[in-house]
Amino acid sequence: MGTDVSTVTNDMTRQDWRGMLVGFFKFLREEMREPEHAEDDLSTTASAGIPAAASLMVVGPKKRVLFVKRADDEENFPGHWAWPGGKCDGAESAADCAVRETREEVGYDCALDAVREVDKKRTARGWDHTTFACVSGDEFEPK
């Protein structure tokens, strides 16, 4: 059974969440139709000397999206809401990284074959960041 987002945080109202998620899903649908992303060629290997990171957007059966709030003392983007994710370890693939980080941060284990890449870009800080999505068969509860 899912948790109403208004009980998870007081930072945003139910209407704020709904508006954000409607806009976000519209953005994802539009991004997936844009052919220029198929041509992106970003090196995400440790051997290239470019740091890599990945995150995983987990969508529940009722279209609820899993977010985590970064710690206030976090070096990068303290206090911000984000999808679970982090730095790739060594030669770890971006997909493996996203699944591992999600398991470590929230205890959710998504099958690697259920993960789909939705975005890949070079960040302003020079990192290659890949965002993945997976649909959860079960609703998730905040911990």
Side-chain angles (χ1 to χ4, degrees):
M1 192 177 262
T3 298
D4 180 3
V5 294
S6 65
T7 64
V8 177
T9 178
N10 294 326
D11 291 350
M12 295 173 68
T13 67
R14 176 184 285 228
Q15 187 174 353
D16 291 337
W17 278 103
R18 185 166 293 142
M20 181 187 69
L21 291 176
V22 166
F24 175 71
F25 284 116
K26 180 181 177 187
F27 165 78
L28 282 181
R29 283 191 303 274
E30 291 169 0
E31 281 292 305
M32 290 192 292
R33 287 191 296 251
E34 293 179 0
E36 71 269 15
H37 293 297
E39 311 241 344
D40 289 351
D41 184 23
L42 300 177
S43 173
T44 57
T45 61
S47 62
I50 300 169
S55 56
L56 182 62
M57 176 182 61
V58 181
V59 182
K62 295 180 180 177
K63 307 290 188 250
R64 293 183 175 143
V65 179
L66 177 66
F67 286 91
V68 294
K69 188 170 184 182
R70 297 176 68 86
D72 289 331
D73 61 351
E74 183 73 34
E75 181 181 341
N76 296 305
F77 306 103
H80 284 88
W81 287 95
W83 296 308
K87 181 180 177 185
C88 296
D89 291 338
E92 179 180 45
S93 74
D96 286 334
C97 171
V99 169
R100 176 185 53 77
E101 287 284 347
T102 301
R103 182 176 46 251
E104 289 174 1
E105 292 179 12
V106 296
Y108 179 75
D109 200 2
C110 185
L112 193 56
D113 62 353
V115 173
R116 299 291 178 258
E117 184 178 314
V118 293
D119 188 44
K120 185 176 186 178
K121 65 177 62 171
R122 178 84 31 89
T123 70
R125 296 181 181 187
W127 286 63
D128 284 348
H129 186 273
T130 307
T131 302
F132 295 89
C134 79
V135 176
S136 170
D138 300 315
E139 282 298 317
F140 37 82
E141 295 286 335
K143 296 186 180 202

